Amino acid sequence: MSDIGFIINEKKADIGNFMVGRLLPSAEKRMVGPFVFIDHMGPAILKASENMDVLPHPHIGLSTLTYLLEGSITHRDSIGSVIDIHPGAVNWMTAGKGVVHSERTPDYLRNKNKTVHGLQIWVALPKEYEETDASFMHIPASDLPQWNESGCSIKLIAGEALGRKSTVPVYSPLYLLEIKSINKTKINLVNHLFGENALFILEGKIKSGEQSYTSKHLLIPKNIRLTPFEIEENTTIYIFGGEPFPEKRYIHWNFVSSRRELIEKAKQGWIERKFPRIPGETEFASIPS
């Protein structure tokens, strides 16, 4: 018998330039630890005449984590950050009381065929940090802990796990692990993880009990934590989770908060153009009706 309680399929969502596979939030599970939103972008193959242009939009009450597998994206924000992110690196932006950013195809790729593939993740902030000042940090791929163990290549993208700590400056106890199998093997993390957790299969297959699970599925364990499972060779999975918050989190558009009044304030602030501007950007996204 499998120890998986819910199987969440990617749900198609339009972010304006191409479709993504939405994993969180879902009807079955709203959050996993502090993780409140996960989109699997692509892989999207864009022609020379097609480009990614996510217009300037606001956030409050969360940190965004962008992790690419293929392609490149130019990040610009109202703090003044401008950087191209490449596969394996992390863009970590903390919105706090308010930030605005855009995500676009870099200039050097705009007239070329290109691929965009990666994960867009929102991590809710603890209540005491929801109104902190906005900040941004880019962490190169070479700065993230990475090692081989039991026939797998493992990378700790964020948080603390397996006796290691990522350089991504998180605000609460959490972890995001990338595991790539070289050989078929058994993985047992029961005594190495904490809080709630979940597993996303990017490609390949795993087996829990007598049940097998394939790519583009998010698996939620029955009893909060993953039990031992088998991973097939050439499989890539992401295990994430952490300590859940004592308070509920509300989500409206790009706003996350433990307090509805902060979301309403942010909505009105965006309508009235009270958020800080991105230097050099004049466009803006509208709040969906």
Side-chain angles (χ1 to χ4, degrees), residues 201-220:
I201 307 170
L202 178 72
E203 57 185 359
K205 182 168 65 175
I206 74 159
K207 187 176 181 181
S208 175
E210 298 301 315
Q211 184 66 48
S212 294
Y213 303 94
T214 55
S215 64
K216 297 186 179 181
H217 290 107
L218 178 64
L219 308 181
I220 307 294

Side-chain angles (χ1 to χ4, degrees), residues 9-30:
N9 299 317
E10 290 188 3
K11 297 176 177 62
K12 289 184 179 180
D14 189 350
I15 63 170
N17 297 85
F18 53 87
M19 303 299 291
V20 298
R22 185 144 299 163
L23 297 163
L24 285 180
S26 71
E28 298 87 351
K29 188 72 172 172
R30 304 301 296 175

Side-chain angles (χ1 to χ4, degrees), residues 7-234:
I7 306 168
I8 299 174
N9 299 317
E10 290 188 3
K11 297 176 177 62
K12 289 184 179 180
D14 189 350
I15 63 170
N17 297 85
F18 53 87
M19 303 299 291
V20 298
R22 185 144 299 163
L23 297 163
L24 285 180
S26 71
E28 298 87 351
K29 188 72 172 172
R30 304 301 296 175
M31 295 177 65
V32 176
F35 290 81
V36 72
F37 176 98
I38 300 179
D39 270 357
H40 175 209
M41 299 186 295
I45 300 173
L46 305 180
K47 300 176 183 178
S49 60
E50 299 174 320
N51 291 295
M52 178 179 181
D53 284 299
V54 179
L55 299 182
H57 58 280
H59 289 288
I60 66 164
L62 56 83
S63 293
T64 62
L65 188 156
T66 302
Y67 184 76
L68 292 185
L69 303 166
E70 296 179 83
S72 181
I73 295 173
T74 298
H75 165 95
R76 292 184 177 87
D77 63 41
S78 54
I79 309 165
S81 313
V82 181
I83 195 163
D84 292 347
I85 184 172
H86 300 285
V90 170
N91 273 1
W92 177 262
M93 183 183 70
T94 296
K97 60 187 177 184
V99 75
V100 178
H101 76 133
S102 66
E103 295 164 297
R104 301 180 185 272
T105 297
D107 290 342
Y108 70 92
L109 290 176
R110 295 188 78 84
N111 296 311
K112 300 178 181 179
N113 295 338
K114 77 282 290 182
T115 301
V116 180
H117 188 199
L119 298 172
Q120 289 276 23
I121 297 170
W122 297 356
V123 180
L125 290 170
K127 188 174 182 178
E128 63 268 28
Y129 291 110
E130 285 186 322
E131 295 186 270
T132 191
D133 290 336
S135 61
F136 175 84
M137 186 171 180
H138 174 84
I139 299 91
S142 58
D143 286 357
L144 297 174
Q146 187 166 352
W147 66 99
N148 292 328
E149 185 177 319
S150 303
C152 295
S153 172
I154 305 174
K155 180 187 288 187
L156 179 60
I157 298 172
E160 294 187 54
L162 307 178
R164 292 165 170 87
K165 183 177 181 178
S166 169
T167 51
V168 174
V170 302
Y171 288 81
S172 66
L174 61 86
Y175 44 85
L176 172 58
L177 288 159
E178 177 186 78
I179 301 177
K180 295 184 176 183
S181 64
I182 302 165
N183 306 305
K184 181 179 179 179
T185 188
K186 191 169 186 177
I187 294 179
N188 183 357
L189 299 175
V190 172
N191 297 320
H192 300 283
L193 301 178
F194 56 87
E196 298 180 323
N197 50 50
L199 185 156
F200 171 57
I201 307 170
L202 178 72
E203 57 185 359
K205 182 168 65 175
I206 74 159
K207 187 176 181 181
S208 175
E210 298 301 315
Q211 184 66 48
S212 294
Y213 303 94
T214 55
S215 64
K216 297 186 179 181
H217 290 107
L218 178 64
L219 308 181
I220 307 294
K222 287 179 181 176
N223 297 313
I224 299 178
R225 299 186 187 182
L226 292 166
T227 55
F229 60 90
E230 291 183 351
I231 184 170
E232 297 289 335
E233 63 180 7
N234 300 319

